[in-house]
Structures are given as structure tokens and as C-alpha cells.
Amino acid sequence: MKKETRILKIGAQGQDDLILEAAGTIKEGGIVAFPTETVYGLGADALNHQAVLKIFDAKGRPADNPLIVHVDSKQTCMKIARNIPDKALFLMEMFWPGPLTLILERKDIVPDVTTAGLDTVAVRIPENIVALKLIEYSGTPIAAPSANLSGKPSPTNAEHVLNDLYGKVDVVLDGGEVNIGVESTVLDMTSDVPALLRPGKISKEDIELCVGDIIVAYDDRICPETERVRSPGMKYIHYSPDSSVILVEGDHDRVVTRIKELVDDFALRDAKIGLLLTDETKKNINSSLSYSLGSKDFPEHAAKNLFLGFRYLDGKGIDVLIVDGSFKHEGIGMAVFNRIRKAADMIIKV
Ligand code: TXA
Ligand code: MG
């Protein structure tokens, strides 16, 4: 059903009257897109079955993929989760507010629709001030997946949200560009040894410094439907552009050589190519259509530019999107590689 979408532009001061208006929409059971420090989320009252259903509807999200519940305090977290292990409490102390989502045992107050019927719930306190105020003024936990159509890259600004969801959501809170650019780290705390279900800015090493060894339970490729997966989101394609995506990863010089060969090859076949390149690689390659991932030595730049680049190049009607994987694998670099590998039709290691 077509809705009237209100766009509320928030200034640097986080204009309270507009956030209050958006909170009113959440309270009434509507859906609101809002900025977080990672990506934009599409929020509804996590405890209101009908409201949460609207999120699945607007995104075209499969009903068996549970949502992250955003809270503004540990007290509210205690209202929706139980038997919280000490390790989880310690991680909250260290990383909240911030881009770490913890999977905990859920309380009955959380409706099945929010957790896709699981007996666990995903929770985080976001760091973005607009997000925090929205939760506070709404007076309820806010369930929010990334605010993109299912299968599209997560949105890192309000324009992306509007491209995907205009006419499908009640309100878009425009708080400018996000800080991080890839989604939060997801960590399952319900097993004796915590399990990393999705890499993000908070790295395996960051977590292990606090709570000792953890298990890596994610796969960079899409899991086959038949395999039992710990995080339902793992089995879905995250980004499927019309073009094919080729990732070339490895040592910088060899990546440059291989990308040049690919560009020549595709040019012979009259294919329209888009390139997502580090600044160092870009200096060595002549191509009219490229988008910058930033310096190869700063994976946080790649994180910020990745989804922007995907959306920009996809909008140019290309046949092939070649991604330069010569930036560092360290820290958030692992999360960036994870997102690209999941999107890739072909991975070339050189
Ligand atoms: O940074 C983020 O996490 C953003 C912002 C808006 O907070 N949200 C986000 O949500 O990326 P979404 O729905 O796009 O990704 C949530 C992931 C999915 O892969 C989902 O399957 C998994 O978390 N998840 C949610 N609840 C879970 C649960 N109870 N057990 C296991 N995995 C869960
Ligand atoms: Mg998502």
C-alpha cells in the first residue's frame, strides 16, 4: 500500500521537535527510517506485532529473518532478555553504546514476529544521538533491520533510503551520512563460547581481549538453504545487482595487473564496466567509470565507501562491477571483505 512519506531533516543539533514527531509515529504503530552509526535502520515498536509486520512488508523481508532490537539503556535490555551471561554484561560495559549486537535469551514480552519465532533476541544500544533520542522519546525498544529493500545494499544516507522505500514508510529522519558504513558485529552469547555471526567494526580481536576465545561462525559465502544456520540472515543474498560482481583480492601490485587484464578483456567484448578501486590502484588504471574505496591502508574508508560505491555504479547500468580487494584485511577490513564476498559472483585470488 502506498503511504505518504514524511522527510524530516535533522540538523547537527539533533532537532528535538522532529525526533519527537518521529517518536509519535513509532508510538502509533508506524514505521520510521533513522540513522545509526553503522547504517540507516527501519524502525518500529519492537513489542507491537502489527507494527513490526509493517517492516517486513515494506522491505520485502522473509519472515524467518529476525530483527535487531535497539534499546537506549541496559535496564531496557533486561526487560527483553534473560539469563544474561557475565561475559555479555562485560561486553555491554565495554562497547555499548556502539556497533555490537548481542544475541541473548529472550523474554516473552518480545513478540514472535520480532525474533522470527526464535527463543533468542538480538539487542544493541546504538551510538548515534538521533537514534538514541528516537528510542528514548518513543518509550519502547525499536526493532530495526537496515532500511533497504531486501537484497539491496544497506543505506548509508537518507537518499539511499528514499530510493528504496519512498511511499512505503511513514517517516524518514534524515541525519546525514553515517559514520561507519557497514552493519554491526553480531555475537551470539547463548552458547558457552560466544560465536561471531557477523563481522563488523568491533573485531574478533577486540572481543577476545575482553572475554577470551570466541568461535567464528559466519561464512563469507551464502549458506545453502539446506544447511542449518545460526543466524537466519546468513542464508540470504545481501546484495544482488543486475551486473555481475568480480572481487580481485591479494597483493596490491598483482591486483592492479589482474584488474587491468580484466578491463581489457571486457572492453574487447563491449561490456560496460564499473570499478570500485582503492586510490593507489586508481592511479594505475584508466577507466572513466570508477568509485573510490579510499586508501588501501585505511579499511575504515573502504567501509564507509563500499555501499555508496555499489549503489552509484549499479545506477550506471553496468554489466560488470570489478572490486579492488587490495586493502587491509585488519579490523573492519574483515567486515568489508565479508560484505563484498557475499555480493561477488566470482572471487579471484592473486
Ligand atoms: O548495524 C546494524 O546492525 C543495523 C542497524 C540498523 O542497527 N541493522 C542491521 O539489521 O543490519 P539487519 O536486520 O539488516 O541484520 C541483522 C542480522 C541478520 O543477519 C539477522 O539474521 C541477525 O542479525 N539476527 C537477528 N536476530 C537474531 C537472532 N535472534 N539470532 C541470530 N541472528 C539474529
Ligand atoms: Mg540488512
Side-chain angles (χ1 to χ4, degrees):
M1 200 184 67
K2 192 92 177 152
K3 283 174 188 278
E4 189 196 323
T5 299
R6 274 173 294 148
I7 304 165
L8 307 178
K9 212 172 166 69
I10 308 287
Q13 304 309 315
Q15 277 172 290
D16 276 15
D17 50 337
L18 299 182
I19 304 175
L20 273 167
E21 186 181 335
T25 301
I26 297 273
K27 283 185 189 168
E28 286 162 12
I31 50 178
V32 173
F34 63 97
T36 80
E37 73 278 29
T38 55
V39 299
Y40 272 70
L42 177 58
D45 179 349
L47 308 183
N48 177 338
H49 174 98
Q50 290 303 331
V52 174
L53 271 181
K54 291 180 189 168
I55 296 178
F56 285 90
D57 238 35
K59 280 186 60 111
R61 182 176 175 108
D64 68 349
N65 196 2
L67 308 180
I68 296 175
V69 178
H70 299 69
V71 295
D72 64 349
S73 69
K74 273 188 261 172
Q75 285 70 21
T76 313
C77 175
M78 310 297 167
K79 285 189 192 152
I80 58 172
R82 59 190 180 95
N83 292 337
I84 301 176
D86 287 345
K87 283 181 182 176
L89 292 171
F90 189 58
L91 290 170
M92 291 174 193
E93 208 50 58
M94 295 301 290
F95 298 113
W96 280 5
L100 176 66
T101 296
L102 299 174
I103 309 292
L104 303 165
E105 282 181 37
R106 78 148 156 167
K107 284 189 176 163
D108 292 341
I109 183 180
V110 187
D112 275 346
V113 62
T114 302
T115 66
L118 296 176
D119 49 15
T120 56
V121 60
V123 194
R124 81 178 187 101
I125 302 183
E127 201 172 16
N128 180 291
I129 185 73
V130 177
L132 282 171
K133 284 186 175 179
L134 179 67
I135 303 164
E136 187 194 332
Y137 298 166
S138 300
T140 184
I142 294 185
S146 48
N148 49 280
L149 284 175
S150 235
K152 291 276 175 196
S154 294
T156 60
N157 59 34
E159 192 189 326
H160 294 171
V161 176
L162 291 167
N163 286 342
D164 280 13
L165 297 173
Y166 186 79
K168 295 186 170 182
V169 303
D170 297 299
V171 174
V172 175
L173 272 176
D174 180 353
E177 295 283 334
V178 300
N179 264 327
I180 297 174
V182 292
E183 309 87 344
S184 63
T185 307
V186 178
L187 188 68
D188 185 353
M189 301 304 299
T190 62
S191 45
D192 283 343
V193 183
L196 189 57
L197 304 186
R198 181 172 75 183
K201 180 171 185 212
I202 304 208
S203 67
K204 177 172 185 277
E205 293 71 31
D206 295 335
I207 297 166
E208 288 188 327
L209 275 177
C210 301
V211 295
D213 287 352
I214 62 171
I215 299 166
V216 171
Y218 68 85
D219 193 311
D220 281 341
R221 304 311 309 241
I222 300 152
C223 297
E225 193 73 37
T226 46
E227 259 177 50
R228 206 186 74 85
V229 290
R230 290 180 75 160
S231 185
M234 285 177 174
K235 67 172 189 264
Y236 294 110
I237 293 176
H238 280 250
Y239 176 58
S240 50
D242 296 334
S243 65
S244 6
V245 176
I246 302 177
L247 168 65
V248 186
E249 58 173 281
D251 166 78
H252 179 251
D253 291 345
R254 287 202 292 266
V255 167
V256 171
T257 308
R258 193 72 183 93
I259 291 181
K260 275 184 178 162
E261 287 169 7
L262 286 168
V263 169
D264 291 344
D265 254 25
F266 282 114
L268 283 176
R269 287 189 258 161
D270 269 341
K272 185 168 177 187
I273 314 160
L275 301 172
L276 207 44
L277 301 178
T278 61
D279 294 341
E280 292 82 354
T281 301
K282 169 101 181 106
K283 284 184 198 142
N284 296 291
I285 291 179
N286 287 322
S287 163
S288 51
L289 194 53
S290 68
Y291 195 91
S292 167
L293 280 176
S295 166
K296 70 179 174 57
D297 297 324
F298 296 99
E300 55 273 27
H301 296 175
K304 224 171 160 164
N305 292 320
L306 178 71
F307 292 145
L308 276 165
F310 272 165
R311 281 185 182 255
Y312 170 79
L313 293 170
D314 212 18
K316 300 286 176 192
I318 53 174
D319 303 304
V320 191
L321 199 165
I322 300 173
V323 189
D324 167 7
S326 68
F327 58 89
K328 281 191 181 160
H329 277 72
E330 287 161 21
I332 199 168
M334 294 298 289
V336 183
F337 272 108
N338 167 262
R339 307 306 190 272
I340 304 172
R341 287 175 185 148
K342 276 185 165 294
D345 297 284
M346 188 197 283
I347 299 174
I348 302 173
K349 298 205 176 180
V350 290

